[in-house]
Amino acid sequence: MSIVGGLDIHRKQLTFDWVDEQNGKWERGRIAPADREHLASWLTKFDPATAGPVAFAMEGCTGWRYIAEEMAKAGVIAHLAEPADTSVLRGPKRRAKTDKADAKLLRELLAAGRLPECYIPPAQALEYRAMLELYQDLRTQHTGWAQRIQAVCFHQGTTAPGQAGIVRGDRARLHAIIDDQLSISGRLQVNTALAVMDVLADHLDRLRRRLLSSARGLKGARALMHGIYGVGPLSSLALCAWLGGADRFSSSRKAVRFVGLDITVHSSDGKRSPGRLSRQGPEVLRWLLFEAAKTSARACAPGYDYYTQVKDRYDANRACLSQARRIVRHATHILTSLGDDAFTIVAQPAAPTTVAR
């Protein structure tokens, strides 16, 4: 490459360090403020048609998306580095770490071909990831407010409304308990929580319909729904968003590790016992996989025998985790065979009656 550089990302500024290998020109500085407009203006100095190939490396931290998009518009090749592996390659710190030193390290690793690169997903996959993470955040907040209502009612000794009485049950009965058995502050707390829950439920319903429509019109999601028992629209869309793409994983074992369902080994410092999940990777995908794996408890499920064997040896929770790993491996093979075609939008979405259970 003619121009090789590194870019250190921060909220207020972007620190760059690049070298023109043909004429030996070297430049280092900052782009402030760190936004699309100033970055696009700075990238205009690089013309791949005249200067040759231009490549920049950056760490996969918050903010890399808009930088990669602007570089693609300018014809600059973006390389995404894994932060933890990059830190290991830095070696022991002999002096204070600075933004300039980080940008220089990224540039040197890229020039030497030692940069621990990450996969840069297409914009379509990033949109699916953002919607799924929003859906999980809304569900978490909705559950949190329901638990707050339970806590207030229990603290004031009211008749227990039960979880169904708050989320899906008789709202009139709950209001009667609020009016008759709660104090003024308790009524304010519960009524506020109910109002927030109603707003969250409205957003959840609209977002869920959008996610279901996206999954039923996506080729990779349709293949997963019809090929794997227990994988529904949401879980299939999440699997496509995080595991889809050409040459995404060289083996299904690496996909399980990426999701965070692999078992950790005994730590040398003795602070962590063996046999725990790593819990690295997308939390929303682990949640959806666990829910999909619960369908193996049905007697009609293809993996029911395996599920019962693990359940008898350990417990139901361990059996669901084992089944979730099997789903990840199976999904990896299906998505690998599809490649980038997994993100193709089909003309006619799948009918709800044809979706696998």
Side-chain angles (χ1 to χ4, degrees), residues 7 63 188 190 309:
L7 202 65
L188 178 62
V190 175
Q309 290 175 7

Side-chain angles (χ1 to χ4, degrees), residues 1-7 16-28 42-57 71 74-79 103 106-112 115:
M1 297 183 184
S2 299
I3 297 178
V4 180
L7 202 65
F16 60 85
D17 186 306
W18 61 270
V19 171
D20 190 338
E21 297 180 341
Q22 291 184 349
N23 53 31
K25 182 180 179 181
W26 171 69
E27 186 174 339
R28 182 173 64 187
W42 178 76
L43 288 172
T44 55
K45 67 171 62 177
F46 304 106
D47 187 7
T50 58
V54 182
F56 274 84
M71 286 185 177
V76 177
I77 304 173
H79 295 266
L106 290 169
R107 187 252 301 169
E108 292 175 345
L109 291 175
L110 180 60
L115 186 73

Side-chain angles (χ1 to χ4, degrees), residues 215 218-244 285 289 327-338 342 355-357:
L218 193 65
K219 186 174 183 178
R222 287 164 59 100
L224 293 174
M225 283 188 284
H226 291 280
I228 306 177
Y229 185 91
V231 173
L234 292 182
S235 53
S236 64
L237 185 63
L239 287 167
C240 280
W242 273 283
L243 305 183
L285 180 56
L289 285 170
I327 292 175
V328 173
R329 295 189 185 98
H330 193 178
T332 303
H333 293 306
I334 294 176
L335 293 173
T336 301
S337 63
L338 291 175
V355 175
R357 289 168 292 180

Side-chain angles (χ1 to χ4, degrees), residues 23-282:
N23 53 31
K25 182 180 179 181
W26 171 69
E27 186 174 339
R28 182 173 64 187
R30 289 183 176 180
I31 305 171
D35 53 26
R36 285 182 181 270
E37 181 181 357
H38 290 81
L39 177 63
S41 176
W42 178 76
L43 288 172
T44 55
K45 67 171 62 177
F46 304 106
D47 187 7
T50 58
V54 182
F56 274 84
M58 55 188 169
E59 289 187 350
C61 55
T62 303
W64 69 263
R65 178 179 176 178
Y66 84 90
I67 297 175
E69 292 174 350
E70 291 300 324
M71 286 185 177
K73 294 178 182 178
V76 177
I77 304 173
H79 295 266
L80 195 63
E82 209 286 326
D85 293 340
T86 304
S87 178
V88 171
L89 293 175
R90 180 182 295 111
K93 298 179 183 178
R94 299 180 180 178
R95 60 185 63 86
K97 186 175 73 70
T98 63
D99 298 346
K100 295 179 180 179
D102 290 341
K104 180 182 177 181
L105 175 65
L106 290 169
R107 187 252 301 169
E108 292 175 345
L109 291 175
L110 180 60
R114 298 173 55 230
L115 186 73
E117 295 201 38
C118 295
Y119 171 73
I120 299 180
Q124 184 182 3
L126 293 174
E127 291 296 308
Y128 293 147
R129 292 182 183 184
M131 288 193 296
L132 288 165
E133 289 170 347
L134 174 61
Y135 183 76
Q136 187 197 27
D137 291 339
L138 293 175
R139 278 182 57 92
T140 301
Q141 292 185 28
H142 190 272
T143 303
W145 283 106
Q147 292 173 345
R148 181 70 61 86
I149 294 176
Q150 294 277 15
V152 171
C153 292
F154 174 72
H155 189 58
Q156 299 201 15
T158 64
T159 304
Q163 184 69 18
I166 298 175
V167 181
R168 298 178 302 273
D170 188 2
R171 185 63 67 88
R173 176 174 178 270
L174 179 60
H175 280 295
I177 295 174
I178 294 171
D179 295 335
D180 299 338
Q181 303 181 31
L182 290 181
S183 64
I184 297 176
S185 60
R187 288 197 294 270
L188 178 62
Q189 286 178 293
V190 175
N191 287 329
T192 302
L194 289 174
V196 175
M197 286 178 63
D198 290 338
V199 175
L200 292 174
D202 180 60
H203 287 285
L204 277 168
D205 183 61
R206 286 187 282 128
L207 182 57
R208 181 180 177 83
R209 290 199 299 267
R210 184 171 181 176
L211 289 170
L212 294 179
S213 176
S214 300
R216 289 166 179 158
L218 193 65
K219 186 174 183 178
R222 287 164 59 100
L224 293 174
M225 283 188 284
H226 291 280
I228 306 177
Y229 185 91
V231 173
L234 292 182
S235 53
S236 64
L237 185 63
L239 287 167
C240 280
W242 273 283
L243 305 183
D247 301 326
R248 182 71 173 92
F249 297 100
S250 58
S251 67
S252 59
R253 189 177 184 179
K254 293 184 179 180
V256 174
R257 176 170 295 181
F258 168 79
V259 176
L261 292 174
D262 59 327
I263 303 299
T264 58
V265 297
H266 182 71
S267 181
S268 59
D269 60 3
K271 294 183 179 180
R272 171 174 289 183
S273 59
R276 295 181 180 272
L277 295 179
S278 63
R279 297 186 184 276
Q280 298 178 353

